[in-house]
Amino acid sequence: KDVRPIGGTWATAVCPHLLHSDRNVRRYARQVMEKTVNLLWPLVPPGVAQTTYLALKGPPAGTEEGATNADSGMPNGSLITQMTKMLPEAPEDVVSTWRFVVHLSAARIVSSRSIVNGLCKVARSAFASKSLKVKVAMFKSWRVLIDVFAHQKCFDKEKSKSSIKPQKLVALLSQPMLRAGGGTSCNREPSVVVRQAVLDTWAHFLDRMDRIDEGMCKDLLCPLLVQAT
């Protein structure tokens, strides 16, 4: 019942199968993760967090797997590069994997700007998908990234453990909602379902903020008011 004690062994066994070449293997791995991942939050075992972090970081430079991939900006052997390559073929599996690894790496990723940037590249491609289901799933996954930063007090200037300053972090996490919301009706996301996901993500973001500084009001509240109309 308690999966936490098996730590890194558990993460090592399940994570590689999330992007397996066989669709059925991916499906089974996804089912396992869906049922157990919530048991590992917010107290993610150090072994799980470290294993997932290293998978995202990828091999060191100096090897073929450690060479930087032009599309992902991460090593060829990085899980981020694997997600980038598989996104056109299996976007739903990639978005689910994205959510799981962000969840499991927890505090380890907030201090790594390269990993955050790599994850954001994958997310941007998913947000640009023509599939409404993929877009909605990506907004759901984006809320997990917000949760990770919020749990580490990264929106608080005094307590933040992130390598990204709070003001820039708020701007970064707001980008998907701003792009989907648009400033006028002509460039706003036409799908009602996706727009609902956008508003739900805005509400989730605001709920996770300990407080909203005056300088953040323009980035957070004004766009929300525009999209709600």
Side-chain angles (χ1 to χ4, degrees):
K1 294 182 179 181
D2 187 357
V3 299
R4 288 175 293 181
I6 64 177
T9 303
W10 178 84
T12 302
V14 179
C15 281
H17 299 297
L18 290 169
L19 297 177
H20 196 278
S21 58
D22 188 296
R23 181 174 57 184
N24 289 326
V25 173
R26 295 198 304 269
R27 178 165 57 86
Y28 291 136
R30 182 173 169 180
Q31 289 173 355
V32 171
M33 295 290 273
E34 289 283 7
K35 293 179 179 180
T36 58
V37 73
N38 289 331
L39 298 175
L40 300 174
W41 180 264
L43 301 176
V44 179
V48 172
Q50 180 67 6
T51 300
T52 311
Y53 168 79
L54 291 175
L56 290 168
K57 183 179 180 182
T63 63
E64 183 178 347
E65 287 294 286
T68 301
N69 180 274
D71 294 325
S72 69
M74 297 295 290
N76 286 321
S78 165
L79 187 56
I80 292 173
T81 299
Q82 294 177 43
M83 287 191 282
T84 301
K85 291 180 178 179
M86 186 167 281
L87 186 62
E89 173 191 345
E92 291 181 37
D93 288 324
V94 169
V95 170
S96 293
T97 299
W98 192 98
R99 172 163 53 93
F100 295 144
V101 297
V102 167
H103 193 138
L104 295 176
S105 55
R108 296 292 283 115
I109 64 170
V110 301
S111 60
S112 177
R113 190 150 193 166
S114 62
I115 289 180
V116 172
N117 288 341
L119 288 168
C120 287
K121 282 186 178 181
V122 176
R124 279 196 293 271
S125 296
F127 282 127
S129 172
K130 294 181 179 180
S131 167
L132 299 184
K133 188 175 182 180
V134 171
K135 286 183 179 181
V136 171
M138 191 63 241
F139 275 110
K140 180 179 178 180
S141 297
W142 196 252
R143 294 169 213 161
V144 176
L145 185 62
I146 292 172
D147 285 343
V148 167
F149 280 110
H151 190 256
Q152 296 302 313
K153 307 294 183 183
C154 295
F155 304 128
D156 190 316
K157 295 179 181 179
E158 304 299 326
K159 300 178 181 179
S160 177
K161 300 177 182 178
S162 174
S163 58
I164 308 173
K165 294 182 179 180
Q167 191 76 31
K168 290 186 176 181
L169 181 59
V170 168
L172 174 68
L173 295 175
S174 301
Q175 284 180 8
M177 290 85 84
L178 290 173
R179 289 195 187 100
T184 63
S185 59
C186 63
N187 59 7
R188 185 180 299 175
E189 167 61 50
S191 167
V192 174
V193 175
V194 176
R195 286 172 62 185
Q196 182 62 55
V198 172
L199 289 172
D200 288 345
T201 306
W202 271 123
H204 187 87
F205 196 2
L206 292 171
D207 184 61
R208 294 300 184 269
M209 301 285 287
D210 291 330
R211 63 176 185 275
I212 300 178
D213 294 336
E214 184 176 348
M216 296 180 182
C217 286
K218 183 178 179 181
D219 293 324
L220 288 173
L221 299 181
C222 293
L224 178 59
L225 293 174
V226 170
Q227 292 175 43
T229 58

